[in-house]
Amino acid sequence: MNKIVLITGATSGIGLACARKFAANSDKLILTGRNEYRLAELKKELATDVLTLAFDVRDREKAQQNISGLPDEWQKIDVLVNNAGLALGLEPEYEGNLDDWETMIDTNIKGLLTMTRLIVPGMVERNRGHIINVGSVAGDAAYAGGNVYCATKAAVKALTDGLRIDVANTAIRVTNLKPGLVETNFSNVRFKGDEERAAKLYTGIKPLTGDDIADVAVYAANAPEHVQIAEVLILATHQASGSVIVRK
């Protein structure tokens, strides 16, 4: 059965790949992001029913307005993909940028919580639904320079596990996807447009792609109803952990 899938941060990276993969599965899509133009282009590109919502998940008021204003035919969301997230900087914790920290915490943790709080009650009422949170290998253990970003992804793991416990008496499923090294615009954002520095991160190793992560998301969403894919760690072949990468 085709689903209504809401994806946050859908205009690039893993979110964009998820949009394309779920569209290929003929699911209906609600796509959110900050870039209204890119959302409009995506709506033209994807061969499925698409509703676009332009807002930043950090803006709780705008998120509430957009979700409460959904047309009737879009309100019964089957899958929530909490993908919006970012890393900023690799400075030691004692030299970190306070604004960068606030942006990561507000997006990776509070934005995820806002979307969960707005959408999951409807799933509970209908006794069906699936929440897929995009965490990270960084949430398993800190790596050099990762400090606050790693902490936000550790929070995603704890929040995902906690939600799974909270809805265990329902038919709702909760999944934490934990990618390792994925070649998207993630590093360009982290290094604030320094493309040369971002490219070095992928030197000597074939990294994952957004499609690799989206494949797992679609699989999890379409597993038999009695199967809950609780957590998946997805690494490139020559990556063993967040800090162990063999470059050749």
Side-chain angles (χ1 to χ4, degrees), residues 1-5 17-29 46-48 79 214 217-219 221-223:
M1 184 179 74
N2 295 339
K3 301 177 177 67
I4 296 177
V5 181
C18 284
R20 288 171 172 160
K21 292 285 184 177
F22 278 105
N25 199 50
S26 299
D27 292 316
K28 295 174 64 175
L29 302 181
L46 300 174
T48 192
V79 181
V218 172
Y219 172 78
N222 289 281

Side-chain angles (χ1 to χ4, degrees), residues 79-127:
V79 181
L80 167 62
V81 182
N82 274 317
N83 163 75
L86 76 167
L88 292 170
L90 271 174
E91 297 85 5
E93 194 169 321
Y94 58 86
E95 294 179 351
N97 183 300
L98 289 159
D99 290 334
D100 287 349
W101 291 357
E102 188 169 328
T103 299
M104 286 187 282
I105 291 167
D106 286 353
T107 305
N108 300 358
I109 301 176
K110 293 166 69 176
L112 178 147
L113 280 171
T114 294
M115 297 305 295
T116 299
R117 181 64 181 86
L118 291 173
I119 291 167
V120 175
M123 294 181 174
V124 172
E125 183 180 344
R126 296 186 296 275
N127 194 35

